[in-house]
Amino acid sequence: MKTIQTTKSKIVFLSTFPPTQCGIATYTQDTIKGITSVFGKSINCEICELVNFPKAPTQAFTLNTENREEYAKVAKEINNDDLVKLVHIQHEFGLFGGEYGDYLLEFLNAIKKPVTFTFHSVIQKPNDKLRMFVRLLLSYSNSVFVMTNQSEEILINDYGIQKEFITCVPHGTHVVIYETPAQAKQRFNIEDRKVLSTFGLLGEGKNIETGLKAMPEIIKNTPNVLYLIIGKTHPNLIKYGVDEYRNKLEAIVENLNLKDNVRFINEYLDTDELLNYLKATDVYLFTSKDPNQAVSGTFSYAMSCACPIVASKIPHTVEVLTSDSGILVDIGDADQFAQATIKLLSDDNLREEMGENAFRKTRASSWENVAIIHMNTYTQLIENPTAIEFDYPEIQLMHVKKMTTDLGIIQFSKISIPDISSGYTLDDNARALVALCMHYKLTNDKDDLPYILIYVDFIDRCQKETGNFINYVDQDNREHIEQNAEVNLEDSNARAIWALGSVISIKDILPENIVNKASVCFEKSLKWAETIQSPRSIGFATKGLYLYNCAIPNLYVSAIINKLNAKLVSNYEIHNTADWKWFENYLTYGNGILPESMLYAYLVTSKPIYKRIALESLDFLLSKMFTSNGFKVISNNGWYHKGGQPEQFGEQPIDVSYIIQTLNAFYNAFKNPLYKEHMKTAFNWFLGKNHLNQIMYNPVSGGGYDGLEKENVNLNQGAESTVCYLTARLIMENFKDAECKVIDLVKTKADLIINS
């Protein structure tokens, strides 16, 4: 079998690595998974495994850290691989042989590749020898990652390291689907218990005995409490098959009569099962007794699973655990642990609020976001770096389906939990119908059909005898007259026409009953469609009319397209000036639909004025969104007014999705490669190329985050943002390969009239 040679750049990690059971091994594995999931088509990550005895190699490189001669030898092996562009050393003093691990200098003196470090320990107030050794290490790289602001400050103040050499990256966390402990407990049949937990490789430093000594007082207040102690004892602590530390803990359980309230889970759990236990936890007890512990992965994971936390004061917890997400107590103080835990167990609302706050705070530290921070630093260290491109995540419908009931797709969610009280809107169900039609056209997945039918039925349910639609239905399937009267319904009604046109455009592959129902609704809406006045409503309706007309050519539909877009031309002629080529005196949301509408009018009528305005207005819009400073979404904080300056932040997924849809339509018509490049640039906004360097979707469920603010991502995953992300992702599917190709929305006659 022929081996395919890769030319991807490589990063080599010097680290312990699973199956070795230690925190740094797991950290490195998760870091690599994050980098691979985000940048795997551009970068290969390899391991130089650190071992303390000779062993058969299982990784690309192996270094016996107790053999001083091997350091230079392994460095030379790495030097011989031209694809290796960077060496990333996971540094802990005890990992390497010699005083302070100074055998590592042999490697650094021999390595010819750029080097960076992650310091897992940053010791305060070092003696002169330690200070000089750390400075010497960094002289080989001038680059180091640390995981807390305090560690950064110690390096600057105690070691004299320049701030620009330091990258502060939080300890990574796994993306999970948010759920309440009550939901998560069902997996373990512990619904009737209040659950405390602690996890990790057990050892004296974990100080589990403090949590156990707090239990008698906690049980008095909460008799049904269950304390889960999750994890095996650190293998280095088991001597001759004797697990002294666990025996000590079990003796405490026996002496304090805690057998019914303490459960040891003496396993090294896989990540998913561990995260499920954490999601089932009412209060997480972080009992570590090491005052110099710079960072704790177990603490980070607990926060990321929405655990309210009672934590002993170490640098990491003091920096991160604010009073809105947990309670700090003195190291080893069982009474303080007991009282703090009782306070949380006694207040369901407080626990829920703290858990949600903890969850929100740790989304920025997902392994995907950590990978982006790493790559931003790597590209500054690598000489002549090859192009680093984002990978496209798997297309995932889990959250869309979770948000959908038999009636339709629910409007809002609280993080990832659908908020049924928010009801249903025509807007959202129309958008969902468009996306599911695209997915079905791409995949022919029969599981899509029930959802397509649900959304068509919802639109049918909302249609009035006059052909137009109501927009809002509550959770009890009742119309809300007030909301349906107050809201400008033209946009939502026009989106319904777009969605119905999307169904009819793929009529040849859909069941007849779905197509017939959509056709009846569509034809009934045409008389109303002639009366549309609002520019964006004209755009949405035109898109649906165009899709219909491509599938079933119809002179009446073509005439409506011409009539509506003549109104848009009038708008354009009124508002456009030499430096403002637009249909209104402001840019608001979904702007791409306006030049897109002009494009469809041109493709149907061949009128040159539609083509000219389509291209002029698109060029103007692109000039405002694709600048020398990168891609910027039109902010919803006051919008962008003619003669003014663009507002900052307040960026919405709907606008990113719409510009991608518009560029896709224009590329299909005119084959301009710049449109393809702009589509990729815009989609990278979802993947983390934004001012916060954070992903804008949940990679587990496919939920889309509701917005990008100045300092945070809005983690709620409502219908609009989720469907807009899905729509953009579907359009970009054929960009996964190096030879890019966009997905045609429909077959058009563009090729016949492209040179008109």
Side-chain angles (χ1 to χ4, degrees):
M1 180 175 170
K2 187 176 179 180
T3 302
I4 299 175
Q5 297 297 321
T6 178
T7 57
K8 286 192 291 184
S9 297
K10 295 179 182 178
I11 298 168
V12 173
F13 287 79
L14 254 69
S15 178
T16 54
F17 203 73
T20 297
Q21 296 177 8
C22 78
I24 292 176
T26 303
Y27 180 89
T28 303
Q29 182 182 53
D30 288 333
T31 299
I32 289 173
K33 283 182 179 177
I35 292 170
T36 302
S37 70
V38 180
F39 301 106
K41 292 194 182 300
S42 305
I43 289 289
N44 271 339
C45 295
E46 292 186 344
I47 300 297
C48 176
E49 186 176 12
L50 303 179
V51 300
N52 54 15
F53 55 86
K55 63 168 282 189
T58 58
Q59 301 294 337
F61 307 96
T62 303
L63 171 58
N64 180 357
T65 57
E66 297 302 313
N67 185 341
R68 190 166 191 159
E69 294 178 356
E70 279 204 15
Y71 286 80
K73 178 184 173 185
V74 170
K76 291 172 183 175
E77 290 175 3
I78 294 172
N79 290 337
N80 289 334
D81 188 339
D82 292 338
L83 293 177
V84 175
K85 304 301 181 183
L86 180 73
V87 176
H88 191 152
I89 301 171
Q90 302 295 316
H91 185 271
E92 173 72 59
F93 294 101
L95 284 180
F96 303 98
E99 186 178 11
Y100 293 131
D102 64 2
Y103 285 9
L104 181 59
L105 296 176
E106 303 290 336
F107 177 89
L108 295 171
N109 283 321
I111 195 72
K112 303 301 182 186
K113 309 288 186 179
V115 171
T116 188
F117 295 87
T118 292
F119 278 179
H120 290 265
S121 288
V122 180
I123 299 172
Q124 299 183 64
K125 300 176 182 177
N127 58 38
D128 289 343
K129 195 167 187 178
L130 177 57
R131 181 188 298 107
M132 291 305 297
F133 178 67
V134 169
R135 288 177 60 84
L136 179 59
L137 286 181
L138 290 186
S139 71
Y140 287 90
S141 69
N142 292 337
S143 171
V144 62
F145 292 87
V146 295
M147 285 176 258
T148 64
N149 292 323
Q150 185 181 41
S151 293
E152 179 177 357
E153 291 169 6
I154 293 170
L155 284 179
I156 294 170
N157 297 327
D158 291 4
Y159 292 84
I161 305 301
Q162 296 181 42
K163 182 178 177 66
E164 56 266 30
F165 294 170
I166 305 169
T167 302
C168 189
V169 55
H171 191 292
T173 54
H174 296 279
V175 175
V176 300
I177 299 173
Y178 175 81
E179 59 184 340
T180 64
Q183 293 170 309
K185 288 175 187 177
Q186 296 173 13
R187 297 186 185 93
F188 304 107
N189 297 317
I190 50 175
E191 298 98 313
D192 58 339
R193 307 297 291 267
K194 282 287 191 285
V195 177
L196 314 177
S197 74
T198 297
F199 89 91
L201 289 172
L202 303 190
E204 292 286 349
K206 296 288 187 191
N207 199 23
I208 305 296
E209 49 267 42
T210 298
L212 293 175
K213 290 173 183 176
M215 284 295 290
E217 196 66 26
I218 296 170
I219 293 168
K220 289 179 187 177
N221 178 79
T222 312
N224 70 332
V225 70
L226 176 64
Y227 185 17
L228 301 177
I229 300 171
I230 305 167
K232 299 180 72 172
T233 305
H234 197 292
N236 292 349
L237 299 179
I238 299 176
K239 307 293 186 183
Y240 307 110
V242 177
D243 189 342
E244 290 187 3
Y245 185 65
R246 189 173 298 275
N247 292 343
K248 173 184 172 182
L249 297 180
E250 290 177 346
I252 294 173
V253 170
E254 185 72 28
N255 292 337
L256 296 179
N257 195 26
L258 303 176
K259 295 189 299 296
D260 294 334
N261 300 91
V262 174
R263 184 179 300 172
F264 289 94
I265 301 172
N266 186 11
E267 298 178 52
Y268 194 77
L269 299 178
D270 66 48
T271 300
D272 288 341
E273 189 168 11
L274 170 62
L275 296 175
N276 284 332
Y277 271 115
L278 291 176
K279 288 196 284 185
T281 296
D282 291 290
V283 180
Y284 186 82
L285 302 185
F286 180 78
T287 54
S288 174
K289 67 179 181 181
D290 181 0
N292 295 314
Q293 185 177 355
V295 69
S296 167
T298 61
F299 170 75
S300 296
Y301 283 16
M303 285 192 72
S304 75
C305 288
C307 296
I309 299 178
V310 179
S312 53
K313 298 172 183 174
I314 66 166
H316 191 187
T317 61
V318 169
E319 181 173 313
V320 174
L321 192 67
T322 50
S323 60
D324 62 352
S325 51
I327 301 173
L328 290 168
V329 299
D330 292 334
I331 290 174
D333 194 319
D335 289 338
Q336 289 186 26
F337 266 98
Q339 293 310 311
T341 303
I342 289 168
K343 177 181 179 179
L344 296 182
L345 290 177
S346 302
D347 191 332
D348 294 347
N349 291 332
L350 178 62
R351 283 200 318 281
E352 181 179 356
E353 182 180 336
M354 282 187 168
E356 188 176 315
N357 289 336
F359 180 90
R360 291 184 186 277
K361 285 180 181 180
T362 51
R363 288 312 90 196
S365 64
S366 74
W367 287 112
E368 290 79 3
N369 291 333
V370 166
I372 293 168
I373 297 173
H374 276 85
M375 193 58 63
N376 288 343
T377 296
Y378 291 164
T379 53
Q380 297 172 33
L381 301 173
I382 298 173
E383 294 180 8
N384 303 317
T386 55
I388 305 297
E389 294 190 351
F390 290 97
D391 286 7
Y392 292 154
E394 179 185 359
I395 295 171
Q396 176 59 263
L397 301 187
M398 184 188 303
H399 190 61
V400 168
K401 293 180 177 181
K402 183 178 180 181
M403 291 285 287
T404 302
T405 69
D406 290 342
L407 181 58
I409 192 167
I410 298 166
Q411 185 174 192
F412 299 136
S413 75
K414 182 178 181 182
I415 308 181
S416 58
I417 298 177
D419 180 8
I420 186 67
S421 67
S422 68
Y424 307 81
T425 67
L426 179 67
D427 259 343
D428 291 329
N429 281 273
R431 277 187 283 256
L433 180 55
V434 170
L436 265 291
C437 286
M438 291 175 65
H439 188 264
Y440 186 67
K441 181 181 178 183
L442 181 70
T443 66
N444 201 30
D445 184 349
K446 302 301 182 186
D447 289 343
D448 292 345
L449 295 176
Y451 294 90
I452 290 173
L453 181 58
I454 286 171
Y455 304 140
V456 170
D457 280 344
F458 186 89
I459 294 174
D460 179 49
R461 159 80 173 74
C462 290
Q463 191 167 36
K464 300 191 289 188
E465 283 303 314
T466 49
N468 57 332
F469 306 83
I470 63 170
N471 186 48
Y472 182 80
V473 176
D474 73 9
Q475 61 182 313
D476 298 316
N477 195 17
R478 296 176 305 182
E479 300 176 23
H480 270 222
I481 304 301
E482 303 82 11
Q483 284 185 265
N484 285 315
E486 289 173 6
V487 178
N488 178 356
L489 297 184
E490 269 202 347
D491 275 11
S492 60
N493 277 237
R495 281 199 190 92
I497 293 174
W498 171 15
L500 294 168
S502 297
V503 173
I504 295 160
S505 74
I506 57 170
K507 63 183 179 64
D508 293 342
I509 59 173
L510 284 175
E512 188 176 349
N513 64 314
I514 292 177
V515 176
N516 288 342
K517 180 169 286 192
S519 298
V520 169
C521 289
F522 182 89
E523 291 162 11
K524 190 175 177 180
S525 73
L526 292 179
K527 201 68 181 172
W528 171 82
E530 291 187 58
T531 68
I532 298 173
Q533 300 296 324
S534 151
R536 276 163 191 73
S537 302
I538 288 173
F540 297 137
T542 296
K543 196 165 185 176
L545 294 165
Y546 172 75
L547 290 168
Y548 179 94
N549 194 64
C550 287
I552 308 174
N554 183 292
L555 290 176
Y556 177 39
V557 170
S558 298
I560 297 174
I561 291 173
N562 188 48
K563 179 179 179 179
L564 292 178
N565 284 276
K567 298 177 187 179
L568 266 191
V569 169
S570 177
N571 270 59
Y572 186 80
E573 291 176 338
I574 290 169
H575 295 102
N576 103 86
T577 58
D579 59 354
W580 189 265
K581 301 291 186 182
W582 199 242
F583 306 84
E584 302 163 308
N585 284 329
Y586 41 74
L587 296 168
T588 58
Y589 83 99
N591 299 292
I593 195 64
L594 302 183
E596 194 176 340
S597 186
M598 289 282 95
L599 172 64
Y600 294 137
Y602 165 63
L603 295 177
V604 169
T605 68
S606 300
K607 289 185 177 181
I609 189 172
Y610 290 142
K611 179 181 179 181
R612 176 178 64 81
I613 295 175
L615 292 171
E616 282 182 2
S617 59
L618 179 64
D619 286 347
F620 171 77
L621 178 60
L622 296 181
S623 75
K624 302 304 180 185
M625 299 186 76
F626 298 86
T627 70
S628 59
N629 295 322
F631 174 69
K632 291 298 291 182
V633 183
I634 303 299
S635 166
N636 67 359
N637 293 329
W639 306 119
Y640 186 176
H641 291 265
K642 185 176 183 179
Q645 293 298 313
E647 300 292 338
Q648 299 295 308
F649 313 116
E651 301 178 15
Q652 303 293 305
I654 186 173
D655 292 298
V656 185
S657 182
Y658 277 22
I659 196 63
I660 290 170
Q661 294 175 54
T662 298
L663 287 164
N664 186 48
F666 273 79
Y667 179 77
N668 286 337
F670 301 119
K671 308 303 180 188
N672 184 340
L674 179 63
Y675 297 150
K676 285 164 71 169
E677 291 306 310
H678 280 334
M679 289 169 67
K680 292 166 66 176
T681 299
F683 191 71
N684 285 348
W685 180 90
F686 286 109
L687 305 182
K689 191 67 173 177
N690 50 60
H691 74 268
L692 290 183
N693 292 314
Q694 293 187 32
I695 59 172
M696 291 300 300
Y697 64 96
N698 184 310
V700 177
S701 68
Y705 297 144
D706 276 358
L708 182 70
E709 306 302 335
K710 181 178 181 180
E711 296 178 349
N712 68 284
V713 172
N714 182 339
L715 296 176
N716 294 331
Q717 295 153 54
E720 177 187 294
S721 53
T722 294
V723 171
C724 284
Y725 164 69
L726 173 61
T727 303
R729 176 64 188 87
L730 289 167
I731 289 174
M732 301 305 294
E733 173 61 10
N734 285 347
F735 277 120
K736 289 194 305 182
D737 300 323
E739 292 296 320
C740 300
K741 175 185 173 186
V742 292
I743 300 168
D744 291 334
L745 290 175
V746 294
K747 292 180 180 178
T748 75
K749 58 180 180 177
D751 291 334
L752 300 177
I753 55 180
I754 190 170
N755 297 315
S756 299

